[in-house]
Amino acid sequence: MAHILIIDDDQDILRLLEFSFKRSGHSVSISSNGEQGLAQAEIENPDLIICDVMMPKMTGYDFCRQARTKPDLKDTPIVIFSARFQPIDRQTALDAGATDYLAKTVAPDELVGRIEELLPKVTPPTLGGTVGLFSMKGGTGVTSLAVNLAIALTLAHKAGAVLADLALVGGHSALMLGVRPTSSLPKLLSTGEPQFTTEMVQPYLVKHSSGVQLLASLPAFSEAVAPPDRLESLVQCLKSSFDFTVLDVPHLLEPQFSALLPLLDKIVLVLSPDMPSVQSTVIALQGLAQLGADDQKISLVVNQITPRHSLPLQTIQKVIKRPITLAVPFEPEMIRAVNSGKPLLLASPQTPAASAIGKLADTLFK
Amino acid sequence: MNTVRRTSSGRVTADFFTSSYRFSASIIVYKRRLVDVLADRMTDYLDIVDIYISRINAPGDIVATYQKGSLVKDEIIFILLSSESEGISKERFYTTRDDIPLFISVPSFEILGQLKWGSKELDIKKLLSAETHNFLPVSDVTATNSLMPTVKFQGPMALVNKSKVQVLCGLNP
């Protein structure tokens, strides 16, 4: 199933195509002019756009030209569907940036067939990567974000994801997923083997119903240690065994965890909208810079864990001197989700916070 | 198919050619066919809507768009349609006819296509003068600009303005 945006000023055609594509199992949104369609496309980021040529305000050719200048739309397939059916019209559309051109002489079912032929070519290949989430200040909701992000990645990409709770002792990932692990990360790290393999790691994982595999921390007190080389080898192993590796990192700036920095494709620095958290984030950013972390990999997520007295995002951005990647709105359902062991993304997927976490997954691994 | 070309509002979209321009536009035909609208002798004009104008030397580029306009019927050289049915009058649509290859010269264009002809012998003079319709339906058309032969237009049906025909050549069936 793909999400298709159809742009045409002819209401009859919009209705006809909407019906045809929905009947074929696709989700469809429609727009009746190029300007509105362009704004809609930027928000929805559809899998494919079908666009008429002859429209008021903006022709289909202009739509293509402008869409190709937008970072989110530069690779989105655009199929021009026009009553102008000459070979020169096809060439003009392709020159403007269209992916393909179909004349309005085709029957709706034939059009659906042609579009579906295009879709497999345009469906993005399964992505993958390793993301580490951390915060310099406690209580910012890193673990709940990591849990839901792992689920979002699994569901969105139908790919294998592992969540490693690197807290060693007292991590809450298992609790939030409602699973009871029989083994844990400190036990795995204490095995004598110099290099980790998939076979070695597998017995220490517990599978959640969403498909996410969890490497949990120890639920009881222990003086567990994580030698940097062992952690590094473990993360290497997880990276090679799973499409997505989500690391809930207690403190990325400490020596045993900072060794993981080169292995991370993305670093999510979580903060809450309060002054202490903002101050800690500034320090964290300085620390990451000193450790040589690639600035491009860092995303800032404001987790609005408190509904009132929050600092405005603009103020936070001004203090931190960099843009906020995403703000996760305060969500009362999150507390219920944590307490019930059913992650927000599964318990209340329609909530704004769940949507924001889904968007974070899309933003990180596009 | 015509579920897209002729919508429920009775609009037909076509390319209207003069010697210098290509007008991609729609015309409201209601329940009639375009060829019958053209044959309406009550008016010398054709009301068109949603007009997209291209110059003939760059026919893919849209240089201007307008919501409504009137075309002088006599100035139209030919109209290119995406459907054969719009070009054949309702009373002639179900008649069995042979295809006759045609060459037509009109200002700025040479047109190759097929004529549906029912008589045994092709009577060109009769074809051009006696018919009630002032636009001649030609199928499987290729229209080539005579000054810029790389500029070509193709379609299943064209309606050629008989008053613009310089020469019409055909073969007997």
Side-chain angles (χ1 to χ4, degrees):
Chain A
M1 192 194 89
H3 177 57
I4 297 169
L5 170 64
I6 305 167
I7 307 167
D8 200 309
D9 61 324
D10 189 323
Q11 293 300 318
D12 289 337
I13 289 176
L14 277 181
R15 278 199 297 272
L16 186 66
L17 296 186
E18 185 183 18
F19 171 75
S20 302
F21 281 102
K22 278 187 174 170
R23 195 180 54 181
S24 299
H26 301 291
S27 68
V28 177
S29 54
I30 56 173
S31 177
S32 57
N33 73 65
E35 280 179 358
Q36 184 196 323
L38 192 63
Q40 211 167 317
E42 279 190 275
I43 295 165
E44 294 177 9
N45 207 0
D47 295 312
L48 189 140
I49 299 167
I50 298 171
C51 185
D52 184 23
V53 169
M54 296 191 280
M55 295 183 291
K57 293 183 184 172
M58 185 187 281
T59 67
Y61 303 142
D62 291 335
F63 173 86
C64 286
R65 288 184 197 105
Q66 294 207 23
R68 293 313 185 209
T69 64
K70 312 278 182 194
D72 286 348
L73 301 175
K74 66 181 171 60
D75 297 321
T76 305
I78 302 173
V79 177
I80 289 288
F81 185 55
S82 175
R84 282 164 68 104
F85 58 93
Q86 297 301 319
I88 185 69
D89 301 322
R90 177 187 171 82
Q91 193 53 50
T92 306
L94 298 180
D95 290 346
T99 313
D100 204 350
Y101 186 96
L102 295 173
K104 281 186 178 172
T105 48
V106 299
D109 286 348
E110 193 184 339
L111 173 72
V112 172
R114 297 277 294 272
I115 294 295
E116 284 178 341
E117 277 173 26
L118 281 171
L119 279 170
K121 284 185 253 166
V122 304
T123 302
T126 303
L127 298 166
T130 302
V131 54
L133 293 93
F134 94 110
S135 173
M136 279 283 282
K137 181 181 167 287
T140 54
V142 173
T143 303
S144 58
L145 274 183
V147 164
N148 284 288
L149 178 63
I151 291 171
L153 290 169
T154 304
L155 298 181
H157 297 278
K158 293 179 178 62
V162 63
L163 168 64
D165 192 339
L166 301 188
L168 296 187
V169 176
H172 300 304
S173 302
L175 191 73
M176 290 184 186
L177 282 168
V179 295
R180 290 170 184 266
T182 52
S183 202
S184 65
L185 174 65
K187 279 189 185 170
L188 176 60
L189 290 173
S190 64
T191 56
E193 297 294 328
Q195 295 294 319
F196 289 101
T197 63
T198 309
E199 292 71 30
M200 278 172 63
V201 173
Q202 197 63 46
Y204 293 85
L205 298 174
V206 56
K207 191 172 182 179
H208 180 252
S209 59
S210 64
V212 171
Q213 302 262 11
L214 173 68
L215 183 52
S217 78
L218 202 63
F221 178 73
S222 149
E223 290 184 347
V225 287
D229 57 330
R230 302 286 288 150
L231 265 182
E232 215 177 317
S233 167
L234 174 65
V235 173
Q236 285 280 22
C237 172
L238 295 176
K239 274 173 76 101
S240 62
S241 307
F242 293 92
D243 297 313
F244 293 99
T245 302
V246 180
L247 305 176
D248 180 357
V249 192
H251 204 312
L252 197 51
L253 301 181
E254 284 178 2
Q256 74 264 39
F257 297 116
S258 61
L260 300 178
L261 274 175
L263 301 179
L264 300 179
D265 300 308
K266 302 283 176 185
I267 300 163
V268 175
L269 191 48
V270 186
L271 65 151
S272 49
D274 53 74
M275 217 46 221
S277 186
V278 172
Q279 190 183 42
S280 300
T281 303
V282 172
I283 296 166
L285 287 168
Q286 288 169 353
L288 286 170
Q290 277 189 28
L291 291 167
D294 183 352
D295 197 54
Q296 299 292 318
K297 291 182 181 177
I298 301 170
S299 301
L300 289 183
V301 173
V302 176
N303 197 11
Q304 314 253 11
I305 54 168
T306 49
R308 287 187 292 178
H309 313 303
S310 295
L311 286 176
L313 291 181
Q314 282 178 333
T315 309
I316 298 172
Q317 289 184 133
K318 217 171 175 180
V319 175
I320 295 179
K321 295 192 180 84
R322 60 186 294 152
I324 302 295
T325 309
L326 191 88
V328 180
F330 169 73
E331 181 55 67
E333 286 299 314
M334 180 68 95
I335 300 161
R336 191 201 300 265
V338 168
N339 290 336
S340 65
K342 195 166 183 197
L344 183 76
L345 225 76
L346 302 175
S348 308
Q350 307 299 335
T351 55
S355 301
I357 296 169
K359 198 175 173 189
L360 176 65
D362 290 344
T363 309
L364 290 173
F365 297 105
K366 206 168 184 183
Chain B
M1 77 101 189
N2 280 319
T3 48
V4 171
R5 296 287 290 151
R6 176 192 266 265
T7 63
S8 59
S9 53
R11 278 166 67 114
V12 171
T13 305
D15 280 332
F16 301 81
F17 290 89
T18 63
S19 54
S20 306
Y21 292 99
R22 171 194 183 186
F23 302 97
S24 298
S26 296
I27 177 165
I28 312 294
V29 295
Y30 301 102
K31 289 184 177 176
R32 294 184 294 175
R33 293 216 164 107
L34 177 58
V35 68
D36 298 320
V37 174
L38 287 164
D40 181 357
R41 296 187 187 273
M42 297 291 285
T43 174
D44 292 332
Y45 303 97
L46 199 61
D47 290 333
I48 51 177
V49 294
D50 298 337
I51 310 150
Y52 293 78
I53 305 167
S54 302
R55 294 190 189 102
I56 216 70
N57 63 330
D61 299 338
I62 295 167
V63 293
T65 69
Y66 292 96
Q67 213 166 9
K68 59 196 286 191
S70 273
L71 264 171
V72 179
K73 282 183 187 173
D74 277 352
E75 292 304 315
I76 301 169
I77 293 175
F78 66 98
I79 302 165
L80 204 53
L81 302 165
S82 64
S83 154
E84 208 175 20
S85 62
E86 288 300 333
I88 298 176
S89 184
K90 271 189 177 173
E91 70 259 26
R92 303 200 317 182
F93 193 63
Y94 299 104
T95 316
T96 310
R97 287 158 186 254
D98 291 323
D99 285 333
I100 298 173
L102 281 187
F103 171 89
I104 305 170
S105 163
V106 286
S108 302
F109 287 96
E110 54 197 51
I111 295 169
L112 289 171
Q114 307 280 331
L115 175 72
K116 302 268 182 212
W117 185 253
S119 309
K120 282 187 179 170
E121 193 148 329
L122 175 63
D123 187 341
I124 293 174
K125 253 195 264 181
K126 186 182 168 194
L127 182 71
L128 288 175
S129 58
E131 286 266 341
T132 51
H133 288 88
N134 48 356
F135 281 79
L136 181 69
V138 182
S139 54
D140 295 329
V141 170
T142 300
T144 306
N145 188 282
S146 37
L147 295 174
M148 291 168 287
T150 54
V151 175
K152 285 178 193 284
F153 302 94
Q154 293 170 320
M157 172 64 67
L159 295 168
V160 181
N161 190 342
K162 286 181 187 175
S163 68
K164 295 289 182 185
V165 173
Q166 296 160 334
V167 66
L168 189 152
C169 311
L171 295 170
N172 277 325

